[in-house]
Amino acid sequence: MARRRLVYEGKAKTIYAGPEPGTLVQHFKDDATAFNAEKHAIIDGKGVLNNFISEYVMTHLNSVGVPTHFIRRLNMREQLIREVEIIPLEVVVRNVAAGSIAKRLGIEEGTPLPRPIVEYYYKDDKLGDPMVAEEHIAAFNWATAQDLDDMVALALRVNDFLSGLFLGVGIKLVDFKIECGHIYDGDIPRVIVADEISPDSCRLWDVKSGQKFDKDVFRRDLGDLMDGYTEVATRLGVMPEKSIVRSGGPKLVH
Ligand code: TMP
């Protein structure tokens, strides 16, 4: 097979040119980073689980009418996606105080928030993805007012849907981050959900015990990250056979 064209190498994923115009291949790596890549590790099998979990979430979002870039999973580590123009913003929705909001505003972690809170972060690794306000987004033209409206609407629909989906398997959706991009229907731009939705980009706590099943286990050295990710995949019913999750298993050669 001819070597595929590398389009973009990120911290946890690599993007290759897809088989048809307007498509890309999203490859999930085992790299875990935190604190703007100050902390880095390779966690055997993480990429496989994120590929399966994100497939599950995005497929369900597509089926309830929340448009995403996801087309189909190709193999253990890769999925076919629609090519989008990424909007350089991360949209975070929070249901329960944790992480940066707990620190910034002095709220005890685990405190339920009075309503879902939406925040924006400007995607720029050099700056460490700073939080920004609508004023900055408009003034610096990172997104139009219409884009921002669409992104917030998508983020809140994702929040409603995913909160229910995870609660159904005994998991509390504390917060999450999405990224969005434009596709074009003719000349008309439309905003859809892109990137991934996985325990790398969500905080997921066991409803009963409060145990963390997300990347905070790595950020805060709380144990084996794979335990939590495996628990999420198992509860969602998408856990691949354990023997093929770790890299010792069969691998596609590109
Ligand atoms: P924060 O509390 O650190 O601001 O994170 C909020 C949510 O966003 C949390 O679910 C983790 C996710 N997140 C990312 O996906 N990527 C990032 O770079 C950061 C900082 C957070």
Side-chain angles (χ1 to χ4, degrees):
M1 192 169 130
R3 225 179 152 71
R4 288 175 305 183
R5 184 168 61 85
L6 177 73
V7 173
Y8 178 78
E9 171 103 47
K11 286 179 289 204
K13 295 187 294 294
T14 308
I15 305 291
Y16 297 98
E20 289 158 35
T23 67
L24 297 168
V25 172
Q26 177 164 259
H27 177 106
F28 289 77
K29 303 191 283 187
D30 283 338
D31 297 63
T33 62
F35 315 117
N36 205 12
E38 255 176 57
K39 182 169 177 172
H40 176 240
I42 308 285
I43 298 174
D44 195 13
K46 180 181 81 96
V48 174
L49 294 189
N50 279 353
N51 186 24
F52 278 74
I53 293 168
S54 199
E55 171 195 16
Y56 181 87
V57 168
M58 296 275 187
T59 302
H60 280 76
L61 287 171
N62 283 340
S63 73
V64 296
V66 179
T68 83
H69 72 163
F70 180 82
I71 302 172
R72 65 190 158 86
R73 187 168 58 76
L74 296 171
N75 57 49
M76 296 296 281
R77 288 185 179 275
E78 293 174 338
Q79 42 186 249
L80 185 68
I81 58 170
R82 295 185 68 168
E83 181 170 23
V84 301
E85 266 170 23
I86 287 283
I87 297 166
L89 296 170
E90 300 187 344
V91 180
V92 168
V93 182
R94 303 179 186 273
N95 300 304
V96 174
S100 68
I101 197 176
K103 202 164 163 193
R104 190 183 324 116
L105 301 181
I107 308 172
E108 194 187 341
E109 205 166 74
T111 309
L113 296 166
R115 45 174 270 186
I117 293 177
V118 179
E119 296 171 345
Y120 315 108
Y121 293 83
Y122 179 51
K123 266 172 71 68
D124 186 325
D125 281 342
K126 286 194 296 298
L127 301 174
D129 297 346
M131 185 159 85
V132 294
E134 279 190 44
E135 280 290 299
H136 304 111
I137 296 168
F140 299 117
N141 215 7
W142 293 323
T144 65
Q146 181 67 57
D147 288 340
L148 204 56
D149 261 13
D150 292 348
M151 287 173 81
V152 172
L154 284 172
L156 291 173
R157 288 169 71 195
V158 169
N159 188 45
D160 281 347
F161 179 74
L162 283 193
S163 292
L165 183 132
F166 282 118
L167 202 55
V169 295
I171 292 173
K172 179 152 64 177
L173 179 63
V174 170
D175 57 32
F176 65 92
K177 178 263 303 188
I178 59 167
E179 297 185 22
C180 296
H182 290 118
I183 52 166
Y184 288 87
D185 283 334
D187 283 345
I188 314 279
R190 208 156 66 97
V191 177
I192 68 174
V193 177
D195 192 52
E196 73 183 288
I197 299 181
S198 74
D200 269 17
S201 61
C202 302
R203 283 196 175 88
L204 302 168
W205 295 356
D206 184 55
V207 167
K208 285 206 193 107
S209 67
Q211 189 187 338
K212 293 177 180 16
F213 296 147
D214 56 69
K215 204 166 94 176
D216 271 349
V217 171
F218 169 73
R219 293 189 189 98
R220 303 174 187 190
D221 295 319
L222 301 176
D224 185 352
L225 179 97
M226 284 295 280
D227 291 347
Y229 286 45
T230 299
E231 186 64 28
V232 173
T234 303
R235 291 198 195 180
L236 294 177
V238 299
M239 183 63 198
E241 212 181 295
K242 273 216 177 77
S243 61
I244 53 176
V245 171
R246 307 268 179 179
S247 58
K251 254 203 220 161
L252 268 189
V253 178
H254 301 296

